[in-house]
Amino acid sequence: MLVAFVHDWLTAYAGAEKVLEAALELYPTAPIYTLVYQQESFKGSRIAEHPVHTSFIERLPKGREKYRAYLPLMPLAIEQFDLSGYDVVISSSHAVAKGVLTRADQLHISYVHTPIRYAWDLQFQYLKEAGIERGLKSTIARAILHYIRLWDVASSNRVDVFVANSHYVAQRIWKMYRREAQVIYPPVDVDRFTPKGQREDFYLTVSRFVPYKK
């Protein structure tokens, strides 16, 4: 059985990439298809041991660093990957990876970290943080995000099985796509931690320093 993985972009070794790396343990020779790959961020990782195929966005001016500026081209770019030689396609998606094209006889499983946030419920926060709530740039940005939403819903029909990383994300998948999702929590290396016998009155969260994570 030939398996291929699709990931939005490989630019930082963070939570979504650790999920991808855990899945790669099951398929040690599987290739990875991604929009942009910054190899220096993955030295010594399992991801670096796999063949990685990138899109035309990486070859555009400053595509490796300013890839987010090419958001309008991402749906087109992800659809250019030829995955016809594989039996199973597993996409790891928080933006456009789930939109790859597959044949009717291929199985496409999509592990969704979230539907694309800045096109859906965080659109207004995204516009505010970018300083484009009004004016011509705002109109253009809103039109692009409208197009992304239409494509996002249409491309959800290409997925055979949805997997969510939490019940909250499964709820968002149902809200945006009207599709059921099985919940499989992200892997945690529990051997690294020794819980204290007595709990204190606080919770500690470790995540990226981005506004939507508070």
Side-chain angles (χ1 to χ4, degrees), residues 6-9 16 19-20 78 90-100 108-117 151-152 155 159 162-163 165 169 173 177:
V6 184
H7 192 77
D8 293 298
W9 48 77
V19 173
L20 172 64
I78 208 73
I90 302 174
S91 59
S92 166
S93 184
H94 56 79
V96 298
K98 69 166 180 41
V100 290
H108 179 188
I109 302 170
S110 187
Y111 189 104
V112 176
H113 307 281
T114 177
I116 184 167
R117 291 186 180 94
W151 178 88
D152 194 39
S155 64
V159 177
F162 271 108
V163 179
N165 68 0
V169 169
I173 290 171
Y177 310 141

Side-chain angles (χ1 to χ4, degrees), residues 128-139:
K128 183 177 180 180
E129 291 169 0
I132 50 175
E133 292 181 274
R134 296 179 179 82
L136 179 60
K137 287 186 178 180
S138 178
T139 301

Side-chain angles (χ1 to χ4, degrees), residues 1-199:
M1 183 175 65
L2 296 177
V3 178
F5 286 84
V6 184
H7 192 77
D8 293 298
W9 48 77
L10 290 169
T11 57
Y13 186 63
E17 289 69 38
K18 291 178 181 178
V19 173
L20 172 64
E21 193 171 48
L24 290 171
E25 293 181 16
L26 302 174
Y27 304 99
T29 62
I32 305 169
Y33 291 79
T34 188
L35 297 178
V36 176
Y37 181 38
Q38 295 179 6
Q39 293 175 277
E40 60 276 11
S41 299
F42 296 92
K43 290 181 179 178
S45 72
R46 183 179 296 275
I47 290 172
E49 300 172 1
H50 288 250
V52 178
H53 306 275
T54 58
S55 74
F56 66 80
I57 288 179
E58 187 168 277
R59 296 182 288 279
L60 295 176
K62 295 187 178 180
R64 293 183 73 247
E65 296 79 25
K66 304 293 185 180
Y67 57 93
R68 294 181 188 274
Y70 292 108
L71 174 65
L73 296 178
M74 288 182 181
L76 174 64
I78 208 73
E79 291 177 347
Q80 301 312 302
F81 290 134
D82 182 4
L83 304 174
S84 58
Y86 302 98
D87 303 300
V88 178
V89 174
I90 302 174
S91 59
S92 166
S93 184
H94 56 79
V96 298
K98 69 166 180 41
V100 290
L101 302 179
T102 54
R103 300 191 316 269
D105 59 337
Q106 289 175 294
L107 176 63
H108 179 188
I109 302 170
S110 187
Y111 189 104
V112 176
H113 307 281
T114 177
I116 184 167
R117 291 186 180 94
Y118 34 90
W120 289 103
D121 47 332
L122 294 187
Q123 171 184 294
F124 302 105
Q125 180 178 327
Y126 166 75
L127 294 172
K128 183 177 180 180
E129 291 169 0
I132 50 175
E133 292 181 274
R134 296 179 179 82
L136 179 60
K137 287 186 178 180
S138 178
T139 301
I140 294 173
R142 291 170 190 269
I144 291 172
L145 293 175
H146 176 69
Y147 153 70
I148 293 292
R149 282 192 293 274
L150 294 176
W151 178 88
D152 194 39
V153 173
S155 64
S156 69
N157 293 314
R158 304 172 189 172
V159 177
D160 296 303
V161 178
F162 271 108
V163 179
N165 68 0
S166 68
H167 288 283
Y168 176 70
V169 169
Q171 184 180 23
R172 296 186 74 233
I173 290 171
W174 174 255
K175 176 73 172 181
M176 280 56 169
Y177 310 141
R178 287 298 187 259
R179 294 285 303 276
E180 298 283 353
Q182 179 179 346
V183 175
I184 300 179
Y185 295 114
V188 177
D189 184 3
V190 294
D191 293 333
R192 290 183 57 195
F193 303 93
T194 302
K196 292 180 63 176
Q198 183 177 359
R199 297 181 180 180

